[in-house]
Amino acid sequence: DAAMVVPEDFVLPPGLTEQHLPAGRYASTVHVGPYEHLGDVWQRFMGEWLPASGERAAASPSVETYLNNPETTLKSEWRTRLSIPLA
């Protein structure tokens, strides 16, 4: 899925559906570097950090937020926030 924030009165084009991410606690980390490494970062975040933290993931979607523009930023400086909803 891809997501964006839209105004309350925004009319969605046909074929798109509206979803809401729930408010609550999220664990986050920021990856700096190419998107090709995001799979490894997610694996460590979910497979190592989460179990060691004593927290549990909630049943809502995890989120990647791209913090800068890959068209104007060096690939080695791309910043991506990974967020896991916590139960």
Side-chain angles (χ1 to χ4, degrees):
D1 294 336
M4 60 188 278
V5 176
V6 297
E8 287 289 327
D9 60 349
F10 186 79
V11 177
L12 292 174
L16 297 183
T17 58
E18 184 174 356
Q19 298 181 16
H20 295 265
L21 294 175
R25 295 184 323 123
Y26 284 77
S28 295
T29 189
V30 174
H31 166 68
V32 179
Y35 300 149
E36 292 86 2
H37 298 277
L38 286 172
D40 295 334
V41 177
W42 274 115
Q43 184 175 1
R44 286 193 313 275
F45 195 26
M46 298 288 289
E48 295 175 20
W49 179 85
L50 186 62
S53 74
E55 299 282 358
R56 289 183 310 112
S60 54
S62 295
V63 179
E64 289 180 4
T65 306
Y66 305 101
L67 301 174
N68 50 18
N69 184 342
E71 293 181 4
T72 59
T73 307
L74 293 173
K75 196 173 189 178
S76 63
E77 296 176 7
W78 291 353
R79 296 173 52 84
T80 309
R81 181 183 324 123
L82 288 67
S83 301
I84 302 168
L86 300 176

